[in-house]
Amino acid sequence: MANLSPDIIARILCTLLNRSYNELNGEFYISLTHDREHVIIVKETSDHIIVENFIPGVSKGYLDYLSRILADYPEVRSGFSDGKPVLIVDKNADSERIRGALIRIYESFAYDRPSDALKLFGGFIIHSFGQKFSVVLSRDRAVGLFSENYVSLPDETGWFFSHLGIDNIYLPILSWKHDGSILAYVPSPDGSLKVFNVSEFFRKLQELFIKAGISMRIEDETELFQQLHEIEGNIELIETALKGKTIPFMSQVVKLDPKLRGLLEEVKGGLEQIKKMITLSKLIEQRVIMRKAIKLARMILGGEKGVISIATRKVSKLGAGYAVYISKEEAKALRLADKVTVKIVIEEGQKPKIVIQ
């Protein structure tokens, strides 16, 4: 007796991809974007359930690669129908098995094709040091396929969400938002950490600049860390004016209300705390990077990562493409099958390279 029906598969897809479906004459339509070409259709034949256009625009070569990924799920086959990629699912298959197959397909695509996955599904997947992270366009996409260790892309002001909460790329690591204020830890001379109210300091700085007639405007707390050098320059300008000295490149002495002296000293003290936060944040980042480097070094020495062999070969012209010879030992190390997947990978600070799987 058949276990599956089109609506079951449609619901699984909607849960994974954070979408909803529309039904028409027994067929289920799942829109991935506003483009009419980006619609998944789930329909039924006498023996199978067809998932049409399950990854819009995917190439035949990539579909062959997905077929090998599906080797553990014989109840699901991939192919092309009317120029569109389709999945052919056995009606007698277990729904959890199909869920597992779909997760494998979409996770592979979200890792291999991040730009396309971001456009179609609202997120993509990265792997680092044995962990999987989901990068999403916005917080509402952090469900289904992208619910594990998620982080949203920062908005124009640097704010982002993650499974750890809200954060900003411009704020120090040891900072957080509480009751509408930005707080941060500052190291004391005795080595302890004290809480500093960044928002309170931000308001004092704004007040000082307005009263001193400084045209520079700091819009929010994050700009304190982005424009620190310019802020310090304006503080120096105010201090010079309060001392009654001539400001460089100005023909006259600028006089300010001496009552600003107290506010100026408070702001100068706050700036010192801000600089200590930045120093502490950079130190923590470096220590984390060093520990990650040690972990990577151990993986390389253990043969889990890194270069296994190096050889120089001639690139030969072959028909419409190029060919490179692979030795028997290299083929054995790669565990080559009848078909392989060739990827071009770009890593930070390195030239593009070819990866054969």
Side-chain angles (χ1 to χ4, degrees):
M1 185 176 179
N3 296 317
L4 286 180
S5 59
D7 64 304
I8 291 176
I9 293 185
R11 285 199 296 269
I12 293 173
L13 285 167
C14 289
T15 300
L16 287 178
L17 305 179
N18 190 27
R19 298 295 193 278
S20 58
Y21 65 74
N22 293 311
E23 182 184 0
L24 180 63
N25 298 327
E27 295 184 355
F28 297 82
Y29 297 80
I30 304 169
S31 297
L32 300 176
T33 70
H34 295 299
D35 193 327
R36 291 194 304 176
E37 296 296 315
H38 299 159
V39 178
I40 298 173
I41 303 173
V42 185
K43 53 189 178 182
E44 187 175 16
T45 67
S46 57
D47 299 317
H48 301 95
I49 295 172
I50 308 297
V51 183
E52 184 179 291
N53 212 29
F54 68 101
I55 302 180
V58 70
S59 67
K60 187 178 184 305
Y62 192 76
L63 199 64
D64 289 341
Y65 167 62
L66 290 180
S67 296
R68 294 194 294 277
I69 287 179
L70 288 172
D72 294 334
Y73 297 91
E75 56 268 74
V76 183
R77 293 182 288 113
S78 63
F80 270 92
S81 176
D82 297 327
K84 293 184 178 180
V86 298
L87 290 178
I88 303 169
V89 182
D90 188 341
K91 281 186 178 181
N92 294 312
D94 179 74
S95 62
E96 287 305 309
R97 290 273 301 168
I98 301 307
R99 185 190 301 274
L102 291 172
I103 289 174
R104 183 170 295 188
I105 288 170
Y106 287 113
E107 281 191 348
S108 297
F109 182 78
Y111 174 75
D112 295 332
R113 307 282 290 274
S115 295
D116 292 333
L118 190 67
K119 176 183 178 182
L120 292 172
F121 309 129
F124 60 95
I125 291 172
I126 59 177
H127 292 275
S128 178
F129 295 98
Q131 285 187 284
K132 180 178 72 174
F133 297 90
S134 299
V135 182
V136 293
L137 270 176
S138 56
R139 192 178 188 181
D140 64 326
R141 294 299 182 198
V143 294
L145 191 67
F146 303 120
S147 59
E148 186 175 351
N149 290 343
Y150 77 88
V151 58
S152 69
L153 291 173
D155 64 18
E156 63 278 2
T157 60
W159 289 101
F160 64 92
F161 289 92
S162 76
H163 62 287
L164 299 177
I166 188 172
D167 201 353
N168 190 290
I169 58 174
Y170 300 115
L171 293 176
I173 289 177
L174 296 184
S175 62
W176 65 98
K177 202 168 187 177
H178 179 70
D179 286 343
S181 294
I182 303 296
L183 306 177
Y185 279 124
V186 179
S188 299
D190 62 1
S192 63
L193 295 176
K194 294 185 177 179
V195 177
F196 181 84
N197 193 317
V198 178
S199 297
E200 186 177 312
F201 167 75
F202 166 69
R203 289 188 287 271
K204 288 181 180 178
L205 180 66
Q206 283 184 314
E207 181 185 356
L208 177 65
F209 278 6
I210 291 172
K211 289 182 176 179
I214 299 297
S215 60
M216 181 183 183
R217 291 293 175 264
I218 310 299
E219 298 299 330
D220 60 32
E221 293 90 338
T222 64
E223 291 192 7
L224 294 173
F225 302 92
Q226 299 176 66
Q227 303 186 48
L228 184 62
H229 183 72
E230 189 176 350
I231 291 171
E232 287 184 299
N234 280 292
I235 294 298
E236 186 176 344
L237 190 68
I238 295 171
E239 190 169 28
T240 301
L242 280 172
K243 290 178 180 178
K245 296 182 179 180
T246 301
I247 299 173
F249 307 111
M250 295 186 69
S251 59
Q252 62 184 20
V253 174
V254 178
K255 293 184 178 180
L256 296 178
D257 188 344
K259 294 179 181 178
L260 285 179
R261 170 61 63 184
L263 181 58
L264 174 64
E265 293 302 321
E266 286 187 60
V267 169
K268 285 175 62 179
L271 276 181
E272 291 303 314
Q273 302 301 305
I274 294 290
K275 288 190 281 188
K276 287 180 181 180
M277 288 177 210
I278 293 173
T279 300
L280 177 63
S281 187
K282 289 180 179 179
L283 177 61
I284 292 172
E285 285 184 37
Q286 287 300 311
R287 293 197 68 173
V288 170
I289 290 171
M290 289 301 103
R291 295 198 179 200
K292 291 291 186 182
I294 290 172
K295 184 176 181 180
L296 179 58
R298 286 174 173 170
M299 293 172 72
I300 291 172
L301 293 175
E304 300 173 60
K305 276 185 175 288
V307 178
I308 297 177
S309 66
I310 298 177
T312 302
R313 303 277 163 68
K314 182 180 179 181
V315 178
S316 303
K317 179 75 173 173
L318 185 64
Y322 297 87
V324 175
Y325 169 77
I326 296 177
S327 70
K328 185 185 294 184
E329 290 75 18
E330 289 165 341
K332 185 178 180 181
L334 289 171
R335 300 175 184 175
L336 290 184
D338 293 336
K339 291 184 177 181
V340 298
T341 300
V342 179
K343 296 181 182 179
I344 298 178
V345 178
I346 300 177
E347 294 181 348
E348 185 179 356
Q350 298 186 19
K351 293 181 178 180
K353 58 186 176 183
I354 293 176
V355 176
I356 299 175
Q357 294 180 322

